[in-house]
Amino acid sequence: MISTWRRRRAGRRAAKEQQQGENGDMELITIPNHFRCPISLDFMKDPVTLSTGITYDRDSIEKWIEAGNHTCPVTNQVFRSLEPIPNHTIRKMIQDWCVDNQSYGIERIPTPRIPVSSTEVSEILSKITMASKREDQVWCQELVAKIKTLGKESERDKRCIVGSKAGSVISAAFETFSKAPSFDKNVAVLEEILSALTLLSPIDEEAKCYLGSAASLHCMVWFLKGGDLSARRNAALALNEAVSSNERVIDALAEIEGALEALVKLIKEPICPTATKASLMVIYHMVNSPVPNETILERFVDMGLVSLLLEILVDAEKRICEEALGVLDGLCSSDKGREKAFNNALSMPVLVKKVLRVTDLATEFSVSIIWKLCKNEKKEEGGGVLIEALQVGAFQKLLLLIQVGCAEKTKEKATELLKWLNLHRDRLECIDSMDFKDLKRPF
């Protein structure tokens, strides 16, 4: 029994010594300097040579150029061309070296895929334009799918595609196929285009114009109302691009039958966080336009959006919480919206809780909503909202907000709120007078 135990212990010791010896051997391996990128000093996985004759790892030199540098980091010479040329000789040498040192745990680097060129992308986009003019949906769908596949290969390829104005070309094709007398016959190609557009976000202004056309809007709403889950998600994302900072598109969207209801449904019956965020952003643009449309605001309020948003805010993630507060702030610009918020027991507890708890923008929205509710009631007798704000700790939160610092407009509203709360402090017996000691100085 003892002999067996000793043999096992000796075996473990020998294995440990062997492992230490192997690690020591690995430490003796030196990577040749010409296999290292001059910028990152790391092993080159995709060596490329530029016009100055120096070889770099593709990822490192592309980041260098994208940062606005047009000179060689080694020679300081100005690049005659910014197009990197694959150095197959160095890459083959690196791969052979990796194979020779496999016994030390070094893996062979894979042969990199040749990145897509702007010329190749331009040719595909030209064919997409041609296919849409011919209304050849099958050909167009194949070409858009190819663009989408290339965009998924790498961030570098995606940047090349976006830089080639792919968003505008594909959005124009979407408008063309949306103009068909019955676009439900073009569902396949339209779905493929919407899917591709989500990869190319954010799109340029020209692309937004195509998506903001009457035909495109009707088509996206059609998908929003009756498409499958993926199509509804992509339609919401595309609508968000189309309506951003464009009142004409907002008004046109509001006139489409069932559009507002479909947006609210995506929030009420969520299919994924991305779709919920996109729907909230579309509604945010609609209720916070420079010239608010009272009709749109009232329609959203009548759909029960105020109560829905307050329920979401109870335990929503940061991004959704921020967007929901932005929408609620817009809705509270209307009399109907404020009335709904007045009568909802969640309003003040939730809003006060979000101050200094989520993001700076969420805090600004929360203070703005509280200010709108209290300002409106301040004109009347009673002060019920102000009393409720005191009960849930609004005074302490606002005082802290001013002390830690915030945006100037938010600070003004917080200060005004503190004045109103101070006027009602005597009416709330559960509030200790010491809580208001900092308000003894005049504002």
Side-chain angles (χ1 to χ4, degrees):
M1 183 74 176
I2 295 176
S3 176
T4 303
W5 175 78
R6 286 177 178 173
R7 283 199 299 270
R8 288 179 180 175
R9 187 174 65 174
R12 286 197 296 269
R13 185 184 299 114
K16 185 176 181 181
E17 291 175 354
Q18 181 181 358
Q19 184 179 2
Q20 290 176 345
E22 291 176 354
N23 291 339
D25 291 340
M26 287 185 67
E27 291 176 0
L28 295 176
I29 297 175
T30 302
I31 299 175
N33 288 334
H34 57 290
F35 290 174
R36 294 180 181 273
C37 174
I39 297 176
S40 66
L41 301 180
D42 291 333
F43 206 51
M44 289 190 289
K45 297 180 179 179
D46 187 6
V48 295
T49 304
L50 272 82
S51 58
T52 56
I54 306 297
T55 299
Y56 304 90
D57 187 68
R58 184 186 293 276
D59 186 58
S60 295
I61 193 61
E62 285 184 347
K63 287 180 180 178
W64 171 268
I65 294 172
E66 286 170 7
N69 302 298
H70 296 153
T71 57
C72 176
V74 175
T75 66
N76 206 32
Q77 296 177 3
V78 178
F79 290 129
R80 295 190 302 274
S81 171
L82 298 179
E83 190 67 28
I85 301 171
N87 191 325
H88 298 295
T89 302
I90 291 292
R91 190 254 306 159
K92 186 67 168 62
M93 291 171 63
I94 292 174
Q95 288 177 326
D96 290 343
W97 183 85
C98 290
V99 172
D100 292 340
N101 292 278
Q102 280 183 342
S103 59
Y104 298 103
I106 296 176
E107 297 181 0
R108 180 182 181 276
I109 63 169
T111 301
R113 183 188 177 280
I114 299 176
V116 65
S117 66
S118 55
T119 303
E120 182 183 354
V121 174
S122 297
E123 289 177 357
I124 299 174
L125 295 178
S126 297
K127 292 178 181 178
I128 289 176
T129 302
M130 190 182 304
S132 61
K133 288 181 177 178
R134 295 179 181 176
E135 297 185 0
D136 189 335
Q137 60 169 310
V138 175
W139 187 25
C140 186
Q141 183 180 349
E142 292 174 354
L143 293 168
V144 172
K146 189 173 184 180
I147 284 288
K148 190 169 71 171
T149 301
L150 291 173
K152 290 180 178 179
E153 290 289 341
S154 66
E155 282 298 317
R156 191 266 177 199
D157 288 352
K158 180 181 175 180
R159 290 194 298 269
C160 179
I161 293 170
V162 172
S164 300
K165 301 292 184 181
S168 299
V169 174
I170 295 176
S171 297
F174 184 84
E175 182 188 26
T176 299
F177 286 105
S178 297
K179 289 180 178 178
S182 179
F183 54 68
D184 54 340
K185 296 180 179 179
N186 299 327
V187 167
V189 64
L190 289 167
E191 283 184 337
E192 193 69 51
I193 292 173
L194 284 176
S195 178
L197 285 173
T198 61
L199 296 175
L200 303 178
S201 178
I203 58 178
D204 56 34
E205 291 301 319
E206 184 180 359
K208 290 180 181 179
C209 287
Y210 288 122
L211 290 180
S213 68
S216 296
L217 289 175
H218 275 85
C219 184
M220 286 186 283
V221 170
W222 185 83
F223 279 117
L224 205 61
K225 291 163 61 177
D228 58 24
L229 297 184
S230 177
R232 291 174 65 195
R233 167 189 174 275
N234 294 337
L237 290 168
L239 273 176
N240 182 33
E241 294 280 1
V243 304
S244 57
S245 304
N246 193 321
E247 288 190 54
R248 178 192 62 80
V249 177
I250 289 174
D251 293 337
L253 177 61
E255 293 175 2
I256 299 176
E257 184 180 356
L260 304 191
E261 289 80 0
L263 289 168
V264 173
K265 186 177 180 180
L266 268 183
I267 301 171
K268 190 174 184 179
E269 302 173 9
I271 57 176
C272 69
T274 304
T276 302
K277 293 174 186 177
S279 183
L280 282 169
M281 281 305 300
V282 174
I283 298 174
Y284 173 82
H285 291 304
M286 298 183 79
V287 301
N288 287 284
S289 58
V291 182
N293 187 319
E294 288 292 332
T295 303
I296 294 176
L297 293 174
E298 290 182 3
R299 286 176 63 187
F300 277 126
V301 172
D302 290 339
M303 293 176 201
L305 187 55
V306 171
S307 299
L308 179 59
L309 291 173
L310 288 168
E311 291 171 8
I312 290 174
L313 285 167
V314 173
D315 57 357
E317 63 166 283
K318 284 188 177 182
R319 184 64 191 276
I320 290 181
C321 183
E322 191 176 85
E323 293 168 358
L325 284 168
V327 173
L328 186 59
D329 186 37
L331 294 176
C332 285
S333 297
S334 69
D335 293 336
K336 265 195 172 183
R338 286 192 299 272
E339 183 183 353
K340 288 291 183 181
F342 274 137
N343 298 327
N344 195 302
L346 284 174
S347 295
M348 201 55 65
V350 167
L351 293 171
V352 172
K353 183 180 179 180
K354 299 304 175 183
V355 175
L356 296 174
R357 287 286 296 272
V358 187
T359 64
D360 290 343
L361 186 56
T363 294
E364 290 179 25
F365 285 139
S366 298
V367 172
S368 177
I369 299 167
I370 297 171
W371 180 80
K372 288 175 181 177
L373 296 178
C374 293
K375 180 183 179 182
N376 185 72
E377 195 191 36
K378 179 176 173 288
K379 299 175 183 178
E380 306 169 359
E381 294 184 359
V385 172
L386 289 163
I387 297 299
E388 185 180 359
L390 285 168
Q391 288 176 323
V392 295
F395 178 84
Q396 293 86 346
K397 276 286 189 77
L398 293 170
L399 193 60
L400 179 60
L401 177 63
I402 293 176
Q403 292 171 346
V404 300
C406 56
E408 192 61 34
K409 287 185 178 180
T410 304
K411 185 176 181 180
E412 291 175 3
K413 291 177 180 178
T415 303
E416 194 169 358
L417 279 168
L418 283 169
K419 289 181 182 180
W420 298 340
L421 291 171
N422 187 42
L423 293 174
H424 288 78
R425 72 184 190 277
D426 294 332
R427 299 179 56 197
L428 191 63
E429 296 178 357
C430 63
I431 296 292
D432 191 281
S433 60
M434 292 299 293
D435 291 337
F436 300 89
K437 61 183 179 182
D438 289 306
L439 278 179
K440 290 179 180 178
R441 52 183 173 77
F443 282 93

